[in-house]
Amino acid sequence: MQLSTTQYDQLERAIVDGTRLTIMRRGTEYVVIPERLRIEQGREIIVARHPSTGHRLELILDELDAIEAVR
């Protein structure tokens, strides 16, 4: 998935504010709190935490189907 500028803005705002994102990947919906965006081997990775359990997740951007800010 290639993010639009609006989606990048939403992702950056969620990282700064500590707000939630809904992410779809391979038919599974994840609600996460993103902590940072990093690049590894040319791939962008969202480092996030699950809001209930606190488990850390690393979601590779080009493997995602959709991303949306939770309001």
Side-chain angles (χ1 to χ4, degrees):
M1 164 183 197
Q2 180 67 31
L3 293 184
S4 68
T5 55
T6 302
Q7 289 171 316
Y8 267 115
D9 287 343
Q10 289 176 343
L11 174 57
E12 291 171 357
R13 179 59 36 206
I15 291 169
V16 170
D17 294 344
T19 56
R20 297 176 184 190
L21 290 178
T22 300
I23 296 174
M24 289 293 294
R25 188 181 102 188
R26 298 184 205 146
T28 302
E29 181 179 72
Y30 299 88
V31 177
V32 298
I33 300 172
E35 295 180 339
R36 64 187 177 116
L37 183 65
R38 67 181 171 93
I39 297 176
E40 186 174 305
Q41 298 178 352
R43 298 176 87 185
E44 291 178 296
I45 300 170
I46 299 171
V47 178
R49 294 228 176 253
H50 187 278
S52 298
T53 65
H55 285 104
R56 183 178 174 179
L57 299 165
E58 292 191 356
L59 302 161
I60 300 171
L61 219 64
D62 60 16
E63 293 180 356
L64 304 182
D65 300 322
I67 186 170
E68 186 177 324
V70 174
R71 302 208 184 266

